[in-house]
Amino acid sequence: MVQLHVKRGDESQFLVRTCGDTSVDALIQQITEIYNGRLRVGRISSEITELSEHGIALPPNMQGLTEEQIMELKLRDEWEEKCVPSGGPVLKKDEMGRRNGHAPNDKMKEVLMKTVEAAKALVSKKQAEANVCLTMEMVKEALDQLRGAVMIVYPMGLPPHDPIKMEFEHREDLSGTQASLEVITEDECQLWWAGQQLQRGKKLQDYIGKNEKTKLVVKIQKKGQGAPAREPLITDDQQKQMMLQHYRRQEELKKLEEANDDSHLDSAWADRQSLKKQFQGLSNIKWGPR
């Protein structure tokens, strides 16, 4: 199996395994599904954190309004009584005005947060450091964990306008947000390796040969953004090791130079004839006028 280390720019994303005879089109589909799936896990995890702090989302026409404005406009959240967290709500006002302030109790909050941590760890970038290859099944498992935790805390479900429910149902609207810039659709995705774009219609082995034990660094890029920067010949860790070895070598050379210094031979204690000269009275002879 060929192992691919997928990066976006210089930032590591995840590892995937594939075969040399896999088409570039199938590879792009596999990588974009995992890449966008990880982003979805991250977005849902962030929203669940807000859910645990401030309860369900307010209807769009009530978000951002003050209590006075809501009363003046005679607006009412019809989902507040329908979507009550298990064990009853705890009042925690949302200063941003996005959520209704009826948060889950501490026990239910713990259920949500533990699940968030487990789901994020399952698709974390640290998996690449541990040499664990990511699959779409792992992404789906993380999403299922998050969905299950929300169902436990909110057995009656979430309002249809809540970002979490919209994400689970693939109805999310990311237009105008920073998250929309991170998503890469299959149509606009490009894969680059060794400074060249992997062309659709070809197979991976057309670029790397038939060696199935190859490890490659491929970069995912949006169409029209040009070629990404090539990987450096040596990594930062390798450069640090080389500098450390150079420093150690310099220290060793300094010690060798000190060990080869023979100026000590001019000292009196280094004279082999000193005892004989003392018996003959020649140990304190000086030449020149006094």
Side-chain angles (χ1 to χ4, degrees):
M1 299 294 284
V2 180
Q3 181 171 292
L4 305 179
H5 185 175
V6 180
K7 289 188 174 184
R8 178 85 188 271
D10 294 328
E11 189 175 357
S12 174
Q13 298 294 323
F14 52 89
L15 302 178
V16 293
R17 284 197 181 97
T18 187
C19 299
D21 62 352
T22 302
S23 67
V24 173
D25 296 81
L27 192 57
I28 288 176
Q29 180 184 8
Q30 177 188 6
I31 289 176
T32 51
E33 283 183 351
I34 295 174
Y35 176 80
N36 292 323
R38 288 180 65 254
L39 293 179
R40 186 182 299 277
V41 171
R43 293 195 301 269
I44 293 175
S45 297
S46 178
E47 289 293 345
I48 288 179
T49 301
E50 293 296 318
L51 176 71
S52 69
E53 290 290 341
H54 304 293
I56 62 173
L58 288 168
N61 63 336
M62 294 178 62
Q63 292 186 13
L65 300 180
T66 64
E67 294 180 359
E68 292 77 10
Q69 290 172 325
I70 292 174
M71 291 179 63
E72 183 179 345
L73 295 172
K74 298 180 180 180
L75 300 177
R76 179 173 173 272
D77 182 8
E78 60 178 326
W79 297 97
E80 182 176 307
E81 297 178 359
K82 298 178 183 179
C83 305
V84 179
S86 298
V90 177
L91 295 181
K92 290 184 180 179
K93 183 179 178 181
D94 182 8
E95 298 297 334
M96 301 297 293
R98 291 183 67 242
R99 297 185 173 274
N100 69 355
H102 291 215
N105 60 36
D106 290 342
K107 185 177 180 180
M108 292 296 102
K109 179 180 178 180
E110 184 179 1
V111 171
L112 291 174
M113 296 313 300
K114 281 187 175 180
T115 306
V116 164
E117 293 302 318
K120 289 169 66 175
L122 190 58
V123 298
S124 169
K125 295 176 181 179
K126 293 182 179 180
Q127 294 282 45
E129 299 175 8
N131 202 35
V132 176
C133 292
L134 209 60
T135 64
M136 197 57 203
E137 286 70 25
M138 294 170 67
V139 175
K140 290 178 179 178
E141 181 183 346
L143 292 171
D144 288 341
Q145 289 178 357
L146 296 173
R147 185 182 290 107
V150 172
M151 290 178 64
I152 291 173
V153 180
Y154 286 88
M156 302 302 293
L158 297 176
H161 57 267
D162 194 290
I164 299 171
K165 187 175 181 64
M166 295 175 71
E167 286 279 3
F168 283 139
E169 297 178 353
H170 299 276
R171 296 187 293 108
E172 71 278 4
D173 181 13
L174 303 179
S175 57
T177 65
Q178 179 64 30
S180 66
L181 302 177
E182 298 175 348
V183 174
I184 301 180
T185 64
E186 184 179 341
D187 293 337
E188 65 184 359
C189 176
Q190 293 178 341
L191 291 182
W192 292 76
W193 169 71
Q196 59 182 329
Q197 182 185 345
L198 304 186
Q199 298 293 334
R200 295 174 184 267
K202 292 190 175 184
K203 293 186 176 182
L204 185 59
Q205 64 186 14
D206 295 335
Y207 296 92
I208 67 171
K210 296 184 178 181
N211 184 1
E212 291 291 328
K213 295 185 179 180
T214 306
K215 293 183 179 181
L216 310 174
V217 174
V218 296
K219 295 197 173 184
I220 187 171
Q221 189 88 327
K222 279 188 178 181
K223 187 184 298 183
Q225 292 183 337
R230 299 189 66 169
E231 284 291 290
L233 296 177
I234 59 174
T235 63
D236 292 340
D237 290 338
Q238 289 174 331
Q239 184 176 9
K240 290 178 183 178
Q241 290 297 325
M242 291 173 63
M243 293 178 65
L244 181 59
Q245 291 177 0
H246 177 72
Y247 173 77
R248 288 174 177 171
R249 180 60 179 165
Q250 292 296 320
E251 292 297 312
E252 290 176 358
L253 291 175
K254 286 181 182 179
K255 291 180 181 179
L256 288 174
E257 289 179 2
E258 293 174 359
N260 290 333
D261 184 9
D262 57 1
S263 60
H264 64 279
L265 297 177
D266 296 331
S267 302
W269 58 265
D271 187 0
R272 296 182 179 180
Q273 304 295 326
S274 61
L275 184 60
K276 181 178 178 181
K277 289 178 181 179
Q278 288 181 8
F279 282 119
Q280 295 177 348
L282 302 174
S283 60
N284 198 23
I285 296 177
K286 295 183 180 178
W287 299 98
R290 295 188 179 181

